[in-house]
């Protein structure tokens, strides 16, 4: 893996892996101005929870909830709102309707669905 890189650790207890990423990214010594590995400061690690925390597990939520929040945030936010506030739509809106109602195309970043 070369820099720049983004690592998404979409699992419970992901925080336990952070020290291993730090160890793989040595800092330069006084004799050298660049480290031997390319993953110095050009690496981002996204971990959704600490070492002792678990991700929510609900059959109505995507199994990869953290990744879904990163890739389709509007859809996930609307689904979560409908799930938490079922009376707000007075029975006219459910999670399936929300999925079908977000306008645009996944490949078009200028639309709400593709953002």
């Amino acid at each position: 893996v070369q820099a720049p890189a983004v690592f998404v650790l979409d699992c419970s207890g992901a925080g336990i892996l952070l020290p291993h990423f730090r160890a793989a990214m040595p800092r330069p010594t006084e004799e050298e101005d660049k480290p031997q590995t390319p993953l110095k400061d050009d690496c981002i690690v996204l971990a959704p929870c600490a070492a002792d925390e678990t991700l929510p597990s609900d059959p109505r939520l995507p199994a990869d909830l953290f990744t879904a929040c990163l890739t389709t945030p509007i859809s996930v936010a609307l689904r979560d709102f409908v799930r938490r506030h079922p009376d707000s739509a007075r029975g006219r809106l459910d999670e399936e309707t929300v999925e079908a109602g977000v306008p645009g195309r996944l490949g078009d970043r200028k639309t709400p669905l593709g953002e």
Side-chain angles (χ1 to χ4, degrees):
V1 177
Q2 292 187 352
V6 176
F7 297 94
V8 179
L9 309 176
D10 195 353
C11 59
S12 294
I16 201 165
L17 299 172
L18 292 179
H20 300 286
F21 276 92
R22 287 188 193 111
M25 295 179 231
R27 300 289 179 218
T29 62
E30 292 180 12
E31 297 89 37
E32 59 184 1
D33 55 346
K34 292 188 177 184
Q36 297 298 321
T37 178
L39 293 177
K40 181 183 169 257
D41 292 325
D42 297 330
C43 176
I44 298 172
V45 180
L46 301 174
C49 56
D52 60 342
E53 296 176 331
T54 58
L55 290 175
S57 65
D58 185 330
R60 296 174 293 178
L61 295 173
D64 57 347
L65 180 61
F66 186 62
T67 301
C69 288
L70 294 172
T71 57
T72 56
I74 292 175
S75 178
V76 173
L78 289 172
R79 287 175 62 189
D80 185 59
F81 179 82
V82 170
R83 185 179 64 85
R84 290 179 189 235
H85 307 284
D87 297 333
S88 65
R90 295 186 178 95
R92 296 182 301 225
L93 193 61
D94 60 9
E95 292 178 38
E96 292 175 13
T97 308
V98 167
E99 282 294 316
V102 178
R105 295 184 323 236
L106 278 175
D108 186 0
R109 292 193 48 98
K110 296 179 183 177
T111 65
L113 186 61
E115 57 70 47

